[in-house]
Amino acid sequence: MAASLQQTPITFGCRSPPSTQIPTAPTAKLSLTSTFTTGLKIPKLTIKPRSSSSSNTNRSHGAAGARMADTAAGSYATALAEVAQSNGTLEQTAADVEKIEQLFSDPEVSAFFANPTVDEEKKRNVVDEIVKSSELQPHVANFLNILVDMKRTDIVNDIVKEFELVYNSLTETEMAVVTSVVQLDSQHLAQIAKGVQRLTGSKNVRIKTVIDPSLVAGFTIRYGLSGSKLIDMSVKKQLEDIAAQLDLGDIQLAV
C-alpha cells in the first residue's frame, strides 16, 4: 500500500501527561493520493503489509475483522515510522503520535470521527484545528487526513500501539509504563528509567506515565513484551497482600 502525503487542515485537551525518554515491521498494494489545499510537498509514505512472522503471530487469533484491523494498523504505523526515519524526525514523530493517542482517548473525539453522518470536510477542518493546537508535523498532519479519507480513524489506538513497537525496535528502546496516583517528578522518573535499563540491558528507556487514583499511593511499573513484567510498589498491592495473609476474604479495607 502506498500513499503520497500532502499537508492541509475544536481544540481538544490532552488528558494524560506525555511520556519521558531517558537516552543511555503482506498482502496487497494500493496507491493512495491525498490532495489538500496547501500544496506542500511531503516525503512519500509507503505502507508495507506486515508478514505473518510479525508481532501479530504472538497475539490471540480473534475474529477475521480484528486480524485485518491489526494488519492495517501495523502497515500504517510502519509507513509512518519509515517516513519519520527518512526525514530525521523519528523522535518528534513519536511525540506527535503520543499527542494523537491522548486526543483520541477522548470519547467525544473518537465518536466525532467515527460518525458517518459528519461530512468529511468538517472532519478535515477539525484535523486542521488539532494540527494547529498540537503543533503536529506536516507528515503527521497529512497522515491523519489520510486516515479520515480512508475511514480508518477507528484504528488510531491500534496504530499507536504498533508505532510504539516499530519505534522501540528502530531505536533499541524499552518502553516502561509507570502508573501512579499523582504525576511523579522528572527525577523519580529518571531513577525508574535507569532501574529498568539495568534490568533489561536496553540502550534506551522510554517512560509513559498513567494516573490511577485507585492505587492509593505508590506506583507500578510495566515493561517487557506487551507489558508482561510488573513491578508493583503501590499501597493498594500492599493492602491486598496483607488481606490475603490475614485471610480476610472479601472484606473491603477502607482507606
Side-chain angles (χ1 to χ4, degrees), residues 35-50:
T35 304
F36 303 109
T37 58
T38 63
L40 179 62
K41 301 281 185 178
I42 301 299
K44 190 173 184 180
L45 176 73
T46 302
I47 299 178
K48 296 180 180 179
R50 297 177 64 125

Side-chain angles (χ1 to χ4, degrees), residues 2 14 24 44 51 55 78 106 122-123 135 142 148 239 252:
C14 297
T24 48
K44 190 173 184 180
S51 64
S55 61
T78 299
D106 187 324
K122 291 183 179 179
K123 293 180 180 180
E135 300 182 343
N142 297 314
V148 170
L239 292 175
Q252 299 295 315

Side-chain angles (χ1 to χ4, degrees), residues 3-14:
S4 295
L5 292 183
Q6 310 230 359
Q7 187 189 18
T8 26
I10 294 192
T11 299
F12 302 102
C14 297

Side-chain angles (χ1 to χ4, degrees), residues 45 76-86 90 93 163 166-167 170:
L45 176 73
Y76 280 116
T78 299
L80 183 58
E82 288 179 347
V83 169
Q85 189 175 36
S86 69
L90 189 57
T93 301
F163 181 88
V166 176
Y167 171 89
L170 290 173

